[in-house]
């Protein structure tokens, strides 16, 4: 099972590596480079604002659907019609809420126009995620991987035309950038419906309270969790805009991009782990094997990225955004990447606790994390601007990740053995030594990265990500 899991993950990550960096590090970066800092900063803040209320569109329905359908595929026909009907009602409620809150905040008419388009993006995202949850519940992870990147492929094509085609009266604007995303998601939604047509042929959309209310009753703990986690994850951009203005949001967004790219790769694991854990929750040996290996892999990747960005943060931003790279955004990047270590624990052990329906614990500590995040943002943003928001995000992610880990250890008897941590600690020490101190002795950046590559290979062995027999087999091939 571990080999099949790693094979599916490898396939999905190859797709990610081929597509997502082009979107995040080339296309999205080119858009920010082409537009004024305040314009993109305002877009980033409004986008995060639209995400704050994403829970209204989801209400935990996607996670609930996975935990039900992964155990019994026949429930696709029983649940889908009512969930779609509920999502249509929720979409109308969502639009009403973001417009109402926007009025209270004092958004301008131009901002409302952009906000409505961003709202459409969130509605389409919610629908595509729901139908993808059916695909993953069927354990069709490779197909899900294709749909995962399809919208990015399409939006890359559409935005590239806006950026570089030089078609008269068709230049890039922030509104056309948003419209391109709407069109891409619409095409993916149609493709998903076509792929699932055999499972959905007998489904009828239902608005009956008799069928909707039982689903809401079962899904509300999932909804609470998604809401709390979404708030402490995405409220940073909104609070920066409110407390110190759009320009600082632009500074934050520049540092946030690389962190977001890393997070997107890690979230692929969570998307596979939730249906996999749900289907095999009674198999304690499998749970220990897959959760342990995935956690080591993500923590290792996070630490390598954290150490490298600490040394080369400004160089990385200069490559991505040569015209707007600055030391403030570089500091934001370093802080956020260290926060990824906590996010990695959440992605693995949060998925395990969700699969086991341990939502009481998750919701309790997610609420504490949100309160912590709000307090830190209110204190740190006025004093440290964008860097203050990054400090708050880093602290919140690490806090919640550790909570998920320790609760999982207790609930699932994961046998935390401190003597087994000696090898990973040695690996961390080796990485730190080569990355932080090796720069002084390397003749240039290329030599230093060769040193880092060797250190990564040795440290990965110490993290038990491979054994010598596997390495010998690869070298022979």
């Amino acid at each position: 099972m571990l080999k099949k899991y790693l094979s599916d993950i490898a396939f999905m990550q190859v797709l990610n590596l081929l597509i997502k960096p082009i979107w995040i590090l080339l296309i999205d970066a080119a858009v920010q480079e082409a537009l004024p800092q305040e314009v993109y900063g305002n877009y980033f803040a409004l986008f995060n604002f639209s995400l704050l209320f994403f829970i209204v569109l989801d209400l935990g329905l996607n996670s609930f659907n996975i935990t039900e359908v992964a155990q019994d595929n026949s429930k696709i026909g029983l649940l889908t019609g009512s969930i779609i009907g509920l999502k249509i009602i929720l979409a109308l409620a969502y639009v009403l809420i973001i417009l109402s809150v926007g009025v209270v905040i004092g958004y301008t008419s131009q901002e409302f126009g952009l906000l409505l388009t961003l709202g459409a993006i969130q509605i389409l995202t919610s629908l595509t995620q729901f139908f993808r949850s059916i695909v993953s519940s069927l354990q069709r992870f490779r197909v899900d991987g294709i749909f995962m990147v399809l919208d990015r492929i399409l939006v890359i094509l559409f935005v590239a035309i806006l950026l570089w085609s030089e078609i008269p009266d068709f230049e890039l604007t922030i509104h056309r950038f948003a419209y391109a995303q709407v069109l891409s998601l619409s095409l993916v939604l149609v493709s998903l419906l076509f792929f699932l047509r055999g499972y959905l042929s007998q489904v009828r959309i239902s608005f009956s309270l008799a069928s909707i209310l039982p689903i809401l009753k079962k899904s509300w703990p999932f909804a609470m969790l998604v809401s709390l986690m979404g708030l402490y994850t995405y409220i940073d951009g909104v609070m920066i805009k409110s407390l110190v203005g759009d320009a600082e949001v632009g500074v934050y967004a520049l540092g946030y991009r690389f962190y977001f790219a890393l997070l997107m790769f890690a979230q692929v694991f969570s998307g596979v782990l939730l249906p996999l854990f749900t289907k095999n929750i009674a198999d304690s040996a499998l749970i220990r094997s897959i959760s342990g290996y995935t956690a080591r892999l993500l923590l290792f990747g996070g630490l390598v990225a954290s150490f490298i960005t600490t040394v080369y943060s400004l160089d990385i931003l200069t490559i991505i955004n040569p015209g707007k790279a600055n030391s403030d955004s570089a500091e934001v990047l370093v802080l956020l990447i260290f926060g990824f270590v906590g996010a990695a624990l959440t992605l693995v052990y949060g998925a395990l606790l969700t699969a086991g329906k341990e939502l009481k614990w998750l919701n309790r500590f997610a609420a504490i994390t949100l309160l912590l995040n709000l307090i830190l943002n209110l204190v740190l943003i006025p004093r440290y601007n964008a860097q203050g928001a990054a400090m708050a995000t880093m602290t919140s992610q690490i806090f919640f990740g550790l909570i998920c880990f320790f609760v999982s250890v207790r609930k699932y008897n994961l046998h935390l053995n401190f003597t087994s941590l000696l090898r990973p600690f040695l690996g961390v020490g080796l990485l730190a030594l080569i990355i932080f101190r090796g720069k002084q002795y390397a003749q240039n950046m290329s030599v230093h990265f060769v040193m880092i590559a060797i250190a990564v290979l040795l440290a990965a062995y110490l993290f038990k990500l491979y054994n010598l027999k596997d390495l010998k087999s690869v070298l022979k091939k």
Side-chain angles (χ1 to χ4, degrees), residues 48-91:
N48 277 10
F49 175 80
S50 70
L51 277 174
L52 286 178
F53 300 97
F54 187 82
I55 180 57
V56 176
L57 295 169
D58 181 59
L59 284 186
L61 293 170
N62 293 345
S63 297
F64 165 74
N65 190 57
I66 289 174
T67 58
E68 293 293 317
V69 174
Q71 292 180 326
D72 183 1
N73 293 163
S74 67
K75 289 187 177 180
I76 294 175
L78 296 173
L79 295 173
T80 301
S82 297
I83 291 178
I84 294 174
L86 180 55
K87 278 187 171 286
I88 292 172
I89 296 171
L90 295 175

Side-chain angles (χ1 to χ4, degrees), residues 311-338:
V311 176
Y312 289 110
S313 56
L314 189 57
D315 301 273
I316 292 170
L317 293 184
T318 302
I319 293 171
I320 299 171
N321 282 91
K324 294 184 179 178
N326 60 84
S327 58
D328 289 341
S329 293
E331 291 177 16
V332 168
L333 172 60
V334 172
L335 291 166
L336 290 175
I337 294 295
F338 272 101

Side-chain angles (χ1 to χ4, degrees), residues 23 43 47 121 152 155 177-186:
W23 164 247
Y43 162 83
F47 187 84
I121 291 173
R152 294 302 94 180
V155 79
F177 178 54
Y179 296 152
Q181 295 175 66
V182 170
L183 177 58
S184 301
L185 285 164
S186 300

Side-chain angles (χ1 to χ4, degrees), residues 107-129:
Y107 287 151
T108 66
S109 58
Q110 187 175 8
E111 287 174 325
F112 273 118
L114 181 56
L115 182 59
L116 281 172
T117 308
L118 296 176
I121 291 173
Q122 303 309 336
I123 292 169
L124 288 167
T125 298
S126 173
L127 289 170
T128 56
Q129 286 181 355

Side-chain angles (χ1 to χ4, degrees), residues 311 430-442 448 451:
V311 176
L430 175 64
L431 286 170
L433 179 66
I434 296 300
I435 294 173
F436 293 131
R437 303 289 294 176
K439 187 180 180 182
Q440 301 178 39
Y441 303 102
H448 190 208
M451 295 168 60

Side-chain angles (χ1 to χ4, degrees), residues 73 88 149 155-156 211 228 233 252 290 333 348 384 405 407:
N73 293 163
I88 292 172
V149 299
V155 79
I156 285 169
S211 60
L228 293 169
T233 301
Y252 187 82
I290 290 181
L333 172 60
V348 178
Y384 300 108
F405 171 67
V407 172

Side-chain angles (χ1 to χ4, degrees), residues 26-38:
L26 178 62
I27 300 296
D28 192 40
V31 171
Q32 185 173 7
E33 189 79 14
L35 296 171
Q37 186 90 318
E38 292 78 8

